[in-house]
Amino acid sequence: MFSYTPGSRDSKLPARLVHRGSFCYGFPIVSRELAQPSVLAGLTKAGQTIVREELDLLERVEQRLERDRSILPVQIENLDAQLIELRDAIAEAKEEDIPSLIDQMHQVAALSRKRGQGRSLPIDPKNPYFGHLRVRETKSGRLRDVLIGKHTLLEDGDGVTVVDWRHAPVSRLYYRYDEGDEYEEEFDDRTMEGAVLVRRSIGVQDSELRRVAAPQGTFVFTRQGVWQEAVGSARPTLEGGAGMAIRVPRGHLGVHGDDDAPRADKHLQEITALIDKQQFDLITRPDSGIVLIQGGAGSGKTTVALHRVAYLAFQDAERFHPSRMLVVVFNDALVEYIRHVLPALGVEGVTVTTYRRWSASLISRLKLRMPAHRNESTPEPVSRFKKHPLMMSIVDAHVRRQLDDIETALKERLEQRGGIDVALDVWRRNANLPPLQRTERCIKQIGDQRTPVSPQARTAAETVLRNGRDQLRDVVTDWVEIMSDANTLQQAAIEHAPGDFTASELASIARWCVRQAELDAVTADDDIDSLPEGVGLDDEDDAIVLRLLQCKTGGLFVDNKRFEYEHIVIDEAQDLCALEVRVLLDCVSRGQSVTIAGDRAQKMVFDNGFTDWPKLLSDARLVHVEIQPLKITYRSTRQVMELSRHVLGPLHDPSDDLVARDGANVGYHGFHEVGEAVAFLGEALRGLMQREPSASVALIARYPQQADVYYESLRVAEVPRLRRVRREDFSFVPGIDVTDVRQVKGLEFDYVVILDPTAQNYPEQVESRHLLHIAATRAAFQLWIVCAGMPSKLLPPELVVGSG
C-alpha cells in the first residue's frame, strides 16, 4: 500500500510528448492530452480535479508496467547464468557437496520457470483496474490508495498497488462502504478502523481512461475528444432522481447522440466494479452449503452466481477446479454468453449447459439400453405429469417396494431352511446403505463362513440377494414398469396431486406411457432406434431414469467412479421441476456447494409444478435453505420496471420496493397495420444505427412467424445490421436482433422494441403476464412498444391513451 496526496506528483512527472496510440515496451501509453485544460473545460472544477487525479494514477500504473516489462528479461538472463554456474560447479564438486548444489539448482530452475511465465504480465495493460479506493487509517492517520482489479500488482516503492477483488481483504471496503463511510473490519486477525475518503468506479478501455464514476458525478470522455459530465447515475440509489429522466422526442429511438450528454451506464464495461455490498457478501459466502438467490429482472442473480464460481476457483483452486464445476442455465443463448463471461473472470473450462443437454449427455455416458429417439410431440398432460413433484414419490415408492420384495423373498426362501433370523438381521443392519450397496454388502456378509447359517440357508439367501441386486441394477425395466402401470400412476395422482389432473388426462397419460412400454420388447435388439411413432424417450424421462439410479446406487457412477461436481450453479431454477433440481443436487460432492438463482416473475415453463420457492425447496427435499433476496434493479430503468410490474399485475409482490435508476419514458406507438409500423420503425432504426453504431437492439415478437414478417419487411426497408435470431444463436455484437420472446430470457440489450403486444398475442392470462414481463425487462436504457392492432389489456391504459 502507499501514501498519496492528490496532485502531489504532477510536478515530478515528465510531460508526455507522445500521442494517443503510441506504445512503449508493447503497452499503449496514457496521453496527457486527456488532461489538457481545453479537454476538461466542460467539467466543473471538482470534476476536473477528479479526472486529473485518475489520469495521474493510471499513468503511474502504466509506468510501472513498462518498467516491469523492461526489467523482466534481465532477471531471467541472470537466473539462466546462475543455472550454468551451478551446472559447472556440480561437474567439479566433491561427492558430499553435490546434493546441496543440486538442491540449489532445482530452486533456481523453479524460480526461472516462474519468472518465465511472468513474461506475459498478469495485469492487462489495456484494462488494469476498475475501482479506486482511498482510505485514512484511524490509528496511524495514513492515507492509502488501493486500486481494485482482477489481478495483483504489489507496491514496489513507486506508490502503485492493484489488488485482486476476489481475495484481497482490503477489497471488502470497496464493496461494502461508500465514500464518506467509516469502517471497521477484521484483516488477518487485526481490527482495522478508518474512513473511506474516495470510492470511484473507473473505466479504462484500450489503456485510456474513458469514465470516472464518483458521488460527485460521472465523467465520460466522449467521441468528440472532450470530457463531459454524464446524465444520470452510474448505479441506482435510494434517493434523488426526481425529474432527472431523459427527455427524448416522440418517435426518436436512442437516449443520446453525438451532441447529447452520454448516459453513464452506457460505458460501464467492467461488471465486477458494479457489485454492491449485498452481492459481494453472497459471492464470498462459505464454500459449503446451498445459497438460493431470488431477484427480479436485472438484479444481478446470474452475475452473483458467476462471480461466486470465479471466487471459489480462486480461493481453492484444487477443490474448485473448473472441470469440477457445472453451470446449468435455461437456454442455449445464455450458454454461449456465459462461455465468454467466465474466461473474462479468470475461469476457463467450466461446463456451461442446459439441463436437457446435460441429462441427455449423461444418459449416453451411462451406456444404458435406452433409445436415442426423442419424442417431439409429447402430450401436454404427459409432460406435466412427469415434471410434477409426485414423480419423486413414485420413484421412492418403487425402490421401497423392490426392497420390501427382497425381504419378503428372504423370509419365504429361508422359512423351511432355518437361519431366517440371522439373514434378516444382516439385511436390516445394512438398511442405511443405498440399495445396491446394501445387497452387495449382505451377499458378502452372508457368504462369510463365520456367519452362523446352514449351507442350504446361505445358498438360498445369496440367490435371493443376487436376484434382487440384478433387479435393482436394471433401471430401464424399472422405468418401463413405472410408466406403464396405469393403476400406479392413477393412484399416485389421487394421493399426491389431488385435483391436478382430470380423469381424462390420467387416462391419456396412462395410454401414452403404456405405449412407451413397448420399449421393453425392443431394448434387447440391436436396432433400438427403429421404434414406432411415440415409442421413445420424452425429454422429461431423463430425470426419472437418473433419479432411479441415484436412489438405488447412492449417486451416479461412470466407469465405476462417482460422477459429481464440487460446485453447481442452477440458474433460472423456477423453470426446472423439483425432480430435475434433486438430480442436480445429488451430483454435488459431500461439501454441498450449490448456488441456485431465479425469479418467480420470469417463469417461462408453466407445467413444472413451480409456484414459489418454499414449495420448490420442499418438493426437492431441501430443508433449512434461506432465500437471499436481491432488491436493486441494475439493468432496467424505473420506467421500464414500473411498466413490467403493471404487466405482472397480481403476480407481482407488492412488498417489493422498486429501486432503479431513472431513464427514458416507455414509448407506445400504435398503428392500424404492420406496414405503417414497419415504415415508422425502419426510419427510427436507421437513425439509431447512424447515431449509435455500437448499440444492441432487440425487436421481440410473441411468435416466430411474426418475427419473420418484421424481419423481411425491415430488410426490404434497408435497415442496417439486421439479424434474424431463430434458435437462440445470438452473436452478442452491436446490431439489431429480430426474434421472439422465448429466445431472449436472461439476456440484455441497450434498446428493446416489443412488436405487436396485441390482445390476441398477449391475452389476460398468467403465461402472457410472464412473457410480456420478460420481454420488457430485457431493456437496459429504453423500451418501445410498437403495436399494429388492438393493444393488450395487460398494458397500462394511460400509456396507450397518452400516446395520442
Side-chain angles (χ1 to χ4, degrees), residues 588-691:
V588 184
S589 65
R590 291 184 179 181
Q592 282 287 290
S593 181
V594 181
T595 304
I596 302 175
D599 176 18
R600 58 176 176 260
Q602 294 187 71
K603 186 176 178 181
M604 191 168 277
V605 176
F606 301 96
D607 61 354
N608 63 351
F610 177 88
T611 55
D612 56 31
W613 293 113
K615 186 175 187 303
L616 175 65
L617 296 176
S618 174
D619 291 339
R621 314 286 170 79
L622 290 172
V623 294
H624 308 305
V625 176
E626 184 180 356
I627 301 172
Q628 307 290 334
L630 293 177
K631 296 291 189 181
I632 300 178
T633 298
Y634 286 95
R635 177 194 300 143
S636 300
T637 64
R638 175 182 59 80
Q639 288 81 353
V640 171
M641 294 308 299
E642 286 176 345
L643 171 77
S644 66
R645 289 182 171 209
H646 179 92
V647 166
L648 285 174
L651 303 180
H652 167 62
D653 185 352
S655 65
D656 287 345
D657 295 328
L658 175 56
V659 184
R661 71 187 190 280
D662 252 11
N665 290 328
V666 175
Y668 178 87
H669 307 282
F671 302 93
H672 292 291
E673 55 97 27
V674 173
E676 291 181 78
V678 169
F680 164 78
L681 199 53
E683 183 178 354
L685 291 171
R686 287 192 298 270
L688 175 66
M689 287 293 98
Q690 184 176 6
R691 293 190 309 274

Side-chain angles (χ1 to χ4, degrees), residues 427-447:
W427 173 249
R428 292 166 182 170
R429 195 167 62 237
N430 291 292
N432 62 319
L433 295 175
L436 264 173
Q437 292 184 34
R438 184 181 182 184
T439 55
E440 294 281 7
R441 181 74 61 84
C442 289
I443 291 171
K444 182 177 181 180
Q445 291 178 352
I446 289 178

Side-chain angles (χ1 to χ4, degrees), residues 548-560:
L548 275 166
L549 274 171
Q550 289 176 331
C551 288
K552 293 186 171 194
T553 64
L556 300 176
F557 292 82
V558 177
D559 297 329
N560 296 319

Side-chain angles (χ1 to χ4, degrees), residues 335-356:
V335 169
E336 292 305 312
Y337 177 73
I338 291 174
R339 280 177 179 168
H340 290 85
V341 171
L342 282 175
L345 296 176
V347 183
E348 297 191 46
V350 175
T351 299
V352 184
T353 185
T354 64
Y355 181 85
R356 291 284 178 262

Side-chain angles (χ1 to χ4, degrees), residues 356 378-392 394 483 493 497-509 512-513 538-541 544 576-580 603 605-610:
R356 291 284 178 262
T378 306
E380 186 276 335
V382 175
S383 178
R384 180 159 50 91
F385 186 88
K386 291 182 177 182
K387 291 178 184 177
H388 198 282
L390 68 85
M391 282 306 308
M392 296 272 286
I394 291 176
M483 304 316 300
D500 289 359
F501 300 92
T502 65
S504 61
E505 285 178 335
L506 289 173
S508 66
I509 291 167
W512 178 268
C513 294
D538 299 328
D539 283 339
E540 296 77 15
D541 287 320
I544 298 172
L576 293 180
C577 68
L579 188 62
E580 292 165 341
K603 186 176 178 181
V605 176
F606 301 96
D607 61 354
N608 63 351
F610 177 88

Side-chain angles (χ1 to χ4, degrees), residues 23 30 130 198 426 486 511 562 668:
F23 285 76
V30 178
F130 54 79
V198 167
V426 171
R511 286 194 299 271
R562 182 180 171 85
Y668 178 87

